[in-house]
Amino acid sequence: MTRDPKHDILFEPVRIGPRTLRNRFYQVPHCTGFGAEKPGSQARFRGMKAEGGWAAVNTEEALISSDTDYWPVVSTRVWDEDDLRNLSLMCDEAHKHGSLAGIELTHGGVHADGRESRRPSLGPSQLASDYHPFVVPKAMELADIKRIREDWVRAAKLSRDAGFDIVYVYGGHSYLPLQFLSPFYNKRTDAYGGALENRARFWIETLEEVRAAVGDDCAIAVRFCVEALGPAGVELDEGTGFVVLADHLVDLWDVNVGSITDWSKDSGASRFFPEGYQLEWTGRVREVTAKPIVGVGRLTSPDRMAEIVRSGAWDLIGAARPSISDPFLPKKIEEGRYGEIRECIGCNVCIMKAEWGNHIGCTQNATAGEEYRRGWHPEKFEPAANADNDVLVVGAGPAGMECAIVLGKRGFRRVHLVDAAPEIGGVMRWIPRLPGLGEWARFLNWRAVQLEKLKNVEVILGTELTATDVRDYGAEIVVVATGARWSTDGLNAYTHVPIPGADASLAHIFTPEQIMLDGKAVPGKRVVVYDAEGYFTAAGLAEKLAAEGHDVELATCLERIAPVTDETLEGPMLRQHLHDVGVRQRAGFLAAEIGEGFIRGTDEFGEPVELEADAVVLATQRLSNELLYLELVEDVNALHAEGIDALYRIGDCVAPRIVAEASYDGHRLAREIDSDDPATPLPYTRERIVLESAAIGT
Ligand code: ADP
Ligand code: SF4
């Protein structure tokens, strides 16, 4: 395979101040849940991308001192030498692979609510945080301004000494420098408020001091949202106005859109934003600077990347999510292995998993976040010690497909992936057909290509296996990946019993699969979709049925419509969108009974409510399809008699979870199938402080 020459431009080096990027692929700062608290995970996670060809890898936001504290959201802290000692491991990993390491130094200002440090938040003016409305900052005195500049310089020097090549003066997503710049936050009447030049003063002074301190050794980068797409920041004219004012102090402009409250427009889910969507705003920055520019927009198409560079709009292709989904994206383009690229599907599960004290993971890339603690490499697979066996995987959903692929790569003699359905995919056969989720099909497409390539993996479709079939199959190892189904009787988290009258064998009551796979006709005009789960399924079905001409009400017993989508940054836009397409929304409705023509229950205050409904769709909870597994495991002697040495189950068949977890579970079993007890995950390396008694003075 060779690279298309039109992509050669992506592999030109780019100079940024005193440093040189080896190509145009740039991993912009993004959260992981690691910070300086999990230094091994941080180092290996970023190092993997460096190995995969990203010319620079950056930390997440790095808080410069203890008066900017967001705990329990894990940002990198650069409060003292120990934090930097931890982060220096990441620099070593980046350098080992010829990449630059960058650190996104910042101060959260108003939004840093000091939950651990107990220090007040600080702002240009005393205006409550729009992100945490109960947090009211101290209006900064001139002494505070001076101290923070000094903290920034100190953090920059420590960063340089730790090995970082790129130092940011990050304004954000509406963090302190941008809060000074934005009239939404800054109502000062002194030299730091008023005209743009005054509002830019804090940022420019900080840049001057940081540049004087480390500018000979490190590239100085500024990242900020040039267009807030809402009130919490600046509009494009002031964004570019700031670029003009600060250009002489900056080696790299890292530009995006949105704000902390409108982060959903920066890390845009594929449901609402196509690839490259930020270019509309960030592409305008070129008009005011000749310095290198990096932009983002969930770019995975090399043609599009080359086009952008050729157009002159950006010099570097920035990525957070595409680099999580495929750390080897640059290498694969470089080597012309286009079909191997594991394209990000834009589901934002990485954000759900990285924010709020979690540990990053990814729907497409089961190894994301496991590089250090489990030692997994996304492109390397050890031959299995028990590879001279046949493995039967029953069920080709996310868990079964991922498991079969990894088993195939680990060199098993033969892997048989069998599914009752006429196509592979399991739930992914229909999820991408929900409105807005078309890009999720990439999950299936990548796996279809892999399965096709693996000569030792055979896919057998349209074959439903019974326990007897499995025993007779002739494989020594059996993995049951039969997935889950939606409850047909309204069983749900709130009552733990079925809803009286709910029975999806009736003509007017539906499960999601009956609509998406079975083609069961929805009668009448009025449809109520009843959601007790809160993620995308009910909302998607409501939108689909409304588009088909039904009069749809989406009712949920939860406090809000689709609250889980808030964790993927889709929630507010999704609720607005449902409203715009005519879906009525009712939260706090607990269903008590369903009958012909109605669903009745109570509102959040216990008052009775009856909704007219010709049809009711139930998205209440899922249940594992575990009967096959239970029947097999019940009779171990019968298994052994047929030469089956091992039986496992994976994915939703164990417990119904999100696709990322089902896929991870299949991957995990295949990675560990030659361990002493493959059914139980091997312990992973934890990163925490272990104190001796002397350390606490006893
Ligand atoms: P997961 O997310 O755990 O991979 P899914 O529900 O997406 O689970 O996929 C499960 C797959 O298993 C479905 O495609 C289904 O058709 C298949 N399946 C379930 N039971 C059997 C069976 N007895 N024989 C063959 N395939 C089965
Ligand atoms: Fe992309 Fe989803 Fe993976 Fe995030 S979790 S990188 S959005 S595929």
Side-chain angles (χ1 to χ4, degrees):
M1 275 172 284
T2 48
R3 173 169 88 225
D4 187 327
K6 73 175 178 238
H7 302 147
D8 290 354
I9 195 169
L10 298 171
F11 296 92
E12 294 169 349
V14 177
R15 190 147 182 92
I16 47 169
R19 301 285 173 169
T20 300
L21 296 157
R22 69 183 141 135
N23 62 36
R24 297 182 186 269
F25 291 92
Y26 189 95
Q27 181 245 289
V28 295
H30 74 79
C31 292
T32 52
F34 302 156
E37 320 298 319
K38 292 185 179 175
S41 297
Q42 178 75 273
R44 283 279 150 75
F45 178 77
R46 309 290 181 186
M48 194 62 77
K49 301 191 203 205
E51 186 184 338
W54 298 88
V57 291
N58 285 281
T59 64
E60 53 271 70
E61 53 177 336
L63 306 176
I64 55 169
S65 71
S66 65
D67 74 0
T68 173
D69 165 38
Y70 296 139
W71 198 262
V73 173
V74 179
S75 313
T76 293
R77 288 167 164 180
V78 288
W79 294 3
D80 58 30
E81 277 88 353
D82 285 343
D83 287 329
L84 267 309
R85 223 169 54 197
N86 279 356
L87 291 171
S88 70
L89 300 177
M90 165 189 158
C91 301
D92 296 344
E93 287 287 306
H95 295 157
K96 199 162 84 190
H97 299 291
S99 302
L100 303 184
I103 185 160
E104 192 187 40
L105 298 179
T106 197
H107 189 297
V110 176
H111 310 306
D113 51 356
R115 291 190 199 190
E116 184 188 289
S117 69
R118 305 181 74 169
R119 296 180 70 162
S121 75
L122 299 172
S125 305
Q126 193 163 63
L127 292 165
S129 161
D130 48 316
Y131 192 54
H132 300 301
F134 58 94
V135 175
V136 179
K138 173 190 177 194
M140 288 165 68
E141 299 172 52
L142 293 181
D144 295 316
I145 292 176
K146 181 165 176 288
R147 188 186 73 248
I148 288 172
R149 287 201 314 258
E150 287 165 1
D151 283 343
W152 218 302
V153 168
R154 186 192 53 85
K157 285 182 179 164
L158 286 174
S159 301
R160 179 212 33 215
D161 296 347
F164 283 102
D165 310 282
I166 304 167
V167 165
Y168 274 76
V169 182
Y170 171 54
H173 299 102
S174 60
Y175 295 145
L176 189 60
L178 199 71
Q179 288 162 22
F180 268 93
L181 194 68
S182 165
F184 181 70
Y185 296 98
N186 184 348
K187 312 284 184 195
R188 295 176 79 100
T189 52
D190 64 2
Y192 291 90
L196 178 66
E197 287 73 10
N198 281 359
R199 285 182 274 123
R201 190 178 308 279
F202 169 73
W203 206 337
I204 287 179
E205 286 176 351
T206 308
L207 272 165
E208 282 167 350
E209 291 176 21
V210 168
R211 191 173 188 86
V214 303
D216 290 343
D217 305 314
C218 302
I220 308 296
V222 165
R223 180 164 222 238
F224 83 115
C225 302
V226 290
E227 164 64 64
L229 299 174
V234 291
E235 291 178 6
L236 189 60
D237 60 337
E238 291 221 320
T240 50
F242 174 69
V243 174
V244 172
L245 291 173
D247 205 35
H248 60 293
L249 301 167
V250 175
D251 299 317
L252 172 64
W253 287 105
D254 178 345
V255 287
N256 57 348
V257 299
S259 64
I260 188 69
T261 41
D262 271 317
W263 186 25
S264 57
K265 293 168 185 162
D266 176 29
S267 205
S270 57
R271 183 192 281 286
F272 299 115
F273 298 95
E275 180 167 346
Y277 67 96
Q278 294 204 12
L279 206 62
E280 178 181 344
W281 300 280
T282 57
R284 301 279 308 281
V285 177
R286 173 56 76 225
E287 294 165 18
V288 292
T289 178
K291 295 275 176 72
I293 297 173
V294 57
V296 291
R298 226 178 55 255
L299 289 155
T300 54
S301 151
D303 283 358
R304 188 79 202 279
M305 295 174 189
E307 234 173 66
I308 292 172
V309 173
R310 212 165 277 121
S311 77
W314 303 342
D315 305 274
L316 302 166
I317 301 300
R321 290 169 295 171
S323 74
I324 300 167
S325 158
D326 198 339
F328 279 68
L329 184 143
K331 268 246 152 71
K332 289 174 183 175
I333 297 175
E334 187 171 22
E335 293 166 6
R337 293 188 287 129
Y338 301 110
E340 294 280 307
I341 297 171
R342 213 171 20 236
E343 289 184 288
C344 168
I345 69 171
C347 62
N348 282 357
V349 161
C350 49
I351 290 168
M352 173 196 264
K353 293 183 74 63
E355 292 297 304
W356 305 288
N358 295 340
H359 187 104
I360 200 168
C362 167
T363 305
Q364 270 285 50
N365 175 11
T367 68
E370 308 299 334
E371 300 83 357
Y372 169 75
R373 68 178 188 174
R374 291 193 182 279
W376 290 357
H377 188 293
E379 307 294 319
K380 290 184 187 158
F381 300 86
E382 294 289 313
N386 50 354
D388 57 343
N389 281 295
D390 274 23
V391 187
L392 168 63
V393 181
V394 188
M401 288 189 293
E402 184 73 15
C403 187
I405 290 167
V406 177
L407 292 171
K409 291 183 176 176
R410 296 199 66 198
F412 272 87
R413 188 172 61 207
R414 196 113 205 110
V415 180
H416 311 256
L417 179 62
V418 181
D419 201 294
E423 300 143 9
I424 57 167
V427 287
M428 281 306 215
R429 289 170 61 214
W430 59 268
I431 289 174
R433 285 196 278 114
L434 288 170
L437 300 189
E439 242 181 60
W440 289 37
R442 291 173 168 186
F443 179 91
L444 189 50
N445 297 345
W446 185 82
R447 282 156 186 82
V449 170
Q450 297 293 309
L451 289 168
E452 182 65 33
K453 276 193 183 159
L454 287 161
K455 295 301 161 224
N456 55 342
V457 180
E458 189 182 356
V459 179
I460 301 141
L461 299 172
T463 307
E464 177 152 10
L465 298 179
T466 63
T468 309
D469 297 333
V470 171
R471 280 190 290 258
D472 292 347
Y473 202 92
E476 290 86 2
I477 299 172
V478 173
V479 180
V480 180
T482 46
R485 67 200 179 279
W486 283 92
S487 160
T488 56
D489 59 11
L491 186 69
N492 65 87
Y494 273 56
T495 65
H496 283 191
V497 290
I499 301 169
D503 176 358
S505 68
L506 299 172
H508 63 285
I509 298 182
F510 294 81
T511 64
E513 295 98 334
Q514 286 177 339
I515 293 176
M516 299 304 297
L517 286 176
D518 304 346
K520 181 174 163 186
V522 179
K525 182 82 177 154
R526 298 158 309 176
V527 178
V528 171
V529 179
Y530 183 61
D531 183 17
E533 183 215 38
Y535 195 18
F536 60 81
T537 305
L541 288 166
E543 183 177 350
K544 175 183 158 60
L545 292 169
E548 288 168 5
H550 294 281
D551 174 3
V552 181
E553 178 149 351
L554 174 55
T556 180
C557 50
L558 305 165
E559 283 178 7
R560 208 170 34 232
I561 296 289
V564 181
T565 62
D566 289 346
E567 295 182 43
T568 55
L569 309 182
E570 295 164 290
M573 292 176 80
L574 177 60
R575 290 184 282 272
Q576 179 68 50
H577 178 70
L578 289 170
H579 172 80
D580 295 346
V581 299
V583 172
R584 290 193 306 286
Q585 300 172 57
R586 180 185 295 273
F589 170 76
L590 185 61
E593 187 189 355
I594 301 174
E596 286 226 33
F598 71 86
I599 172 168
R600 63 173 72 107
T602 46
D603 71 10
E604 61 175 315
F605 305 111
E607 300 294 337
V609 175
E610 181 165 320
L611 309 176
E612 292 180 355
D614 301 317
V616 175
V617 182
L618 299 168
T620 55
Q621 84 151 72
R622 290 183 297 152
L623 294 161
S624 296
N625 294 326
E626 59 183 355
L627 287 182
L628 176 66
Y629 174 81
L630 294 177
E631 201 180 329
L632 289 167
V633 82
E634 198 176 61
D635 194 349
V636 175
N637 291 337
L639 291 177
H640 289 164
E642 297 297 342
I644 297 173
D645 304 326
L647 169 71
Y648 309 108
R649 61 166 157 171
I650 53 173
D652 292 342
C653 170
V654 180
R657 296 190 290 166
I658 57 173
V659 170
E661 296 304 345
S663 171
Y664 164 83
D665 201 29
H667 192 106
R668 202 277 315 154
L669 179 73
R671 286 265 185 188
E672 297 179 353
I673 200 141
D674 45 358
S675 74
D676 291 343
D677 175 18
T680 306
L682 290 171
Y684 53 83
T685 307
R686 292 175 59 205
E687 298 179 71
R688 80 275 193 218
I689 298 167
V690 181
L691 291 179
E692 303 293 337
S693 58
I696 54 169
T698 53

